[in-house]
Amino acid sequence: MSEFSVPPPLPPPSKPFPWKIVIPVAVVLLLCCCCVVIAGVVFAMRSGEGNPFSFLQTGSKSVTGDWDVYYSWGCAEDYSGPVLLTFYEDGSFQVFEDSQTSYGTWYISDDFTLEFIFDEYPNAHYVGILDSEWKYVEGTMSSADNDMGCFRATKR
């Protein structure tokens, strides 16, 4: 027998912590969380009543209420009107013209584009650009009969 004994095996070397993976993943997760928070704040700012961020908004922009509408099929220089149009908060509207009432739906797209469509044939479709205060709109209109025209409206 020899006087030398075999030393016990050395433990395997420890692996270094994978910082090159953890740090980029943490940064991406942090950025995603920030984006979700920002999206939530923007959504809350665009909401209606009870908006906790209303103090950040400049002015109240709403198309609901009464408007005087002037229109011209064919975009002639002489416009008919005014016609009383009332936009309601539920996305519907009512027009009073010559003791007759018509109905339809409306919506805002692209923050400044107002669209409203009559329920009854020929389903006139109005598309206009609102001014920065949402008190004036001007645009075009079309019908299911392919008639084209122009309109402008002022909020009362």
Side-chain angles (χ1 to χ4, degrees):
M1 263 216 260
S2 78
E3 293 182 22
F4 297 103
S5 61
V6 177
L10 295 173
S14 62
K15 293 183 179 180
F17 195 77
W19 291 110
K20 290 182 179 180
I21 295 173
V22 172
I23 291 176
V25 169
V27 168
V28 168
L29 287 174
L30 182 63
L31 289 174
C32 288
C33 290
C34 290
C35 288
V36 168
V37 169
I38 291 169
V41 168
V42 169
F43 178 77
M45 287 176 66
R46 292 179 54 121
S47 336
E49 292 182 31
N51 174 0
F53 301 101
S54 60
F55 65 93
L56 297 173
Q57 293 178 329
T58 55
S60 63
K61 296 179 181 178
S62 174
V63 297
T64 58
D66 294 336
W67 290 70
D68 288 324
V69 179
Y70 299 85
Y71 63 94
S72 172
W73 291 104
C75 296
E77 286 189 27
D78 54 335
Y79 279 65
S80 299
V83 174
L84 174 60
L85 182 144
T86 303
F87 290 110
Y88 298 104
E89 288 182 17
D90 65 357
S92 65
F93 71 85
Q94 205 170 3
V95 173
F96 307 96
E97 182 178 24
D98 299 329
S99 70
Q100 187 176 16
T101 305
S102 301
Y103 302 91
T105 55
W106 68 270
Y107 61 94
I108 303 287
S109 62
D110 302 332
D111 290 335
F112 286 100
T113 303
L114 171 65
E115 294 191 47
F116 54 102
I117 304 167
F118 283 84
D119 291 341
E120 296 175 15
Y121 184 82
N123 308 100
H125 181 190
Y126 289 65
V127 179
I129 303 298
L130 291 155
D131 71 340
S132 61
E133 297 296 315
W134 289 27
K135 295 184 186 279
Y136 178 82
V137 63
E138 189 170 349
T140 60
M141 55 194 190
S142 61
S143 75
D145 293 335
N146 294 322
D147 292 326
M148 302 296 280
C150 300
F151 79 98
R152 60 181 177 255
T154 305
K155 191 169 186 180
R156 287 186 176 186

